[in-house]
Amino acid sequence: MTLKDQRWQDNGPERLYVITAGRSRPEAEAEVDLVTLIVASAAPGPGMPPEHAAILRMCEAPLSVAEISAHLGLPMSVVTVLLADLLASDSVEARAPVQAARLPDLELLEAVMHGLQKL
């Protein structure tokens, strides 16, 4: 195996260049970060690039961009470009991550506790 073949198989720069069609940034501003949840809204179509199809298959249930990057073994920058393509074609939806539940106000909890103690 030559060095060129090795780089192609190991996500070398040539392969990443081909996957993104030479783009280093999304053409349209994609509002995604590591924790943005992505969910597929379409099925993979015939003739679709394999990376796009893989994202659609794995995102039947919401996955974060970081998880997609890890599953595909591709850098975040490449995944962002691919997701921008899928967002532009309405094949996926981007959702804000689920917010952690806020704890109730401490004063309210103390008032409830004192009220229960008086019963």
Side-chain angles (χ1 to χ4, degrees), residues 25-44:
R25 290 196 168 98
E27 291 175 0
E29 278 302 313
E31 296 294 325
V32 297
D33 57 19
L34 286 172
V35 295
T36 301
L37 297 176
I38 304 295
V39 63
S41 56

Side-chain angles (χ1 to χ4, degrees), residues 2-119:
T2 67
L3 179 60
K4 184 176 180 180
D5 294 334
Q6 178 82 25
R7 286 194 320 228
W8 181 261
Q9 291 178 355
D10 294 338
N11 289 333
E14 296 91 357
R15 179 168 181 265
L16 299 177
Y17 183 86
V18 170
I19 291 172
T20 61
R23 297 169 291 160
S24 61
R25 290 196 168 98
E27 291 175 0
E29 278 302 313
E31 296 294 325
V32 297
D33 57 19
L34 286 172
V35 295
T36 301
L37 297 176
I38 304 295
V39 63
S41 56
M48 181 177 277
E51 292 80 11
H52 288 101
I55 291 171
L56 292 177
R57 281 192 296 276
M58 75 175 63
C59 289
E60 289 178 0
L63 282 178
S64 72
V65 175
E67 291 172 310
I68 295 168
S69 178
H71 286 300
L72 292 176
L74 294 173
M76 172 71 177
S77 58
V78 172
V79 172
T80 302
V81 171
L82 298 176
L83 288 173
D85 295 342
L86 292 170
L87 285 165
S89 67
D90 292 327
S91 299
V92 297
E93 296 176 13
R95 299 180 181 169
V98 177
Q99 296 293 322
R102 278 189 20 187
L103 294 176
D105 183 33
L106 185 58
E107 291 177 15
L108 175 64
L109 289 175
E110 288 176 351
V112 170
M113 185 177 70
H114 293 302
L116 290 173
Q117 287 174 344
K118 290 181 182 179
L119 289 178

